[in-house]
Amino acid sequence: MSDGLLFDVCAPPTLVERLLALAGDFTQHNDAFVLLLPTLAADDLRELADSAKHLARESLAAVQAIEDQRLYASVALIEATVRTKQLAYLSSAAARHLSEAGAQLTGTTPTQTEPPAALEGVRDQIQLAQELTLLAPAAAVEAASGVAREVHRRRPSATPAAAGPLAAAELTALHAAALGLVVMARGMGREYVHSRDHGVRIGTLRSLENKELIAIAPNSAPPAYEGGPPQDRIRLTCGGTTAVAALLVHSQASPALSAPGMPAARVTAAPSRRR
């Protein structure tokens, strides 16, 4: 697994954008997790554990950034802070489970037909680690929404301007992408968009891509069905993140917590790779 698989480098200038970027990092972590499931080996588990530790650190840094704002401790801000702390705790727990699974897997050479009993414990640890971060992208977007509303209420001058001339369908697509719910796939010479409960169209994505508000990451998202090819994840660019930050401030509706489906953890026999 290459180091570039998990996180893109983008330094958001505002707290709301930082939380949205955190949501994107969680989506990339979850995607990498599912793509590696069929042939997870000890080295993969160690890299995923490092990824989860990074997410825990970033979540705690976001908590500190919220506290450094010295905003009034409204219900919305308290909930956003607690939600972000929970992301740190969940990520730390996921890292612990992954590290333990990697330690159990090291030195084993299971076969596909007769997996050793030790693999049962590995499966359990991987399943727990996967579940712990499954809802994290939506939780980070919800935290960003709470902070955005409070910043706007207390400091209207610091509120970003509403996104430029974007259609309602484009704003919906950006919001869905922030939640980690939009992927593209190809089949029989056609392109398809899968966007759970959002009805995003391919033309809308192409428009946002032309405006440099989204980027298409090829083969970075889980397949639509077991054994199928990876799909293309739709990610926000820095400009797209700024547009969603403005949307969260100016929209009256809070993002609904939602998450993509999660395949059950599978461990297929793979030679253990020692460093």
Side-chain angles (χ1 to χ4, degrees):
M1 179 169 61
S2 66
D3 293 339
L5 177 62
L6 295 186
F7 304 111
D8 295 326
V9 178
C10 183
T14 71
L15 177 55
V16 174
E17 290 168 355
R18 182 173 189 166
L19 289 166
L20 290 173
L22 181 63
D25 285 348
F26 272 109
T27 295
Q28 291 183 60
H29 171 83
N30 292 343
D31 283 347
F33 207 136
V34 177
L35 289 174
L36 287 168
L37 275 179
T39 56
L40 273 179
D43 284 356
D44 296 324
L45 290 170
R46 278 190 288 269
E47 290 197 42
L48 285 170
D50 288 342
S51 167
K53 291 175 184 176
H54 168 80
L55 291 168
R57 290 192 298 269
E58 288 299 302
S59 298
L60 289 175
V63 170
Q64 186 61 55
I66 294 173
E67 294 174 348
D68 289 344
Q69 291 288 314
R70 299 186 180 279
L71 296 168
Y72 172 72
S74 66
V75 172
L77 194 67
I78 291 172
E79 289 181 350
T81 304
V82 171
R83 189 171 280 114
T84 310
K85 285 182 180 178
Q86 289 174 337
L87 293 178
Y89 303 150
L90 293 170
S91 300
S92 295
R96 186 165 58 253
H97 286 301
L98 289 165
S99 295
E100 292 174 1
Q104 292 178 47
L105 196 59
T106 300
T108 63
T109 55
T111 65
Q112 290 186 340
T113 55
E114 295 180 351
L119 270 187
E120 292 301 324
V122 173
R123 289 192 187 94
D124 291 342
Q125 297 278 21
I126 292 173
Q127 183 76 28
L128 286 170
Q130 191 180 15
E131 290 173 352
L132 285 169
T133 59
L134 181 65
L135 295 175
V141 173
E142 182 70 14
S145 181
V147 171
R149 289 194 299 269
E150 186 58 27
V151 168
H152 176 60
R153 190 175 73 86
R154 302 294 297 182
R155 301 174 184 171
S157 61
T159 298
L166 295 176
E170 292 176 316
L171 293 173
T172 296
L174 286 172
H175 181 243
L179 289 165
L181 299 179
V182 187
V183 296
M184 284 178 55
R186 295 171 181 81
M188 302 186 68
R190 296 182 58 188
E191 292 181 321
Y192 301 89
V193 179
H194 298 157
S195 56
R196 179 174 156 186
D197 301 331
H198 287 80
V200 177
R201 297 182 179 276
I202 187 68
T204 302
L205 294 183
R206 291 305 180 194
S207 174
L208 292 172
E209 187 181 24
N210 290 336
K211 295 175 182 178
E212 299 184 343
L213 297 179
I214 62 167
I216 300 173
N219 303 319
S220 63
Y225 53 90
E226 186 171 350
Q231 301 181 97
D232 301 345
R233 172 64 64 193
I234 305 303
R235 297 176 182 165
L236 297 178
T237 62
C238 292
T241 300
T242 299
V244 174
L247 172 65
L248 295 181
V249 171
H250 296 284
S251 174
Q252 297 299 313
S254 299
L257 291 178
S258 185
M262 179 186 70
R266 305 184 304 276
V267 180
T268 301
S272 122
R273 294 176 287 179
R274 292 186 177 86
R275 294 183 183 271

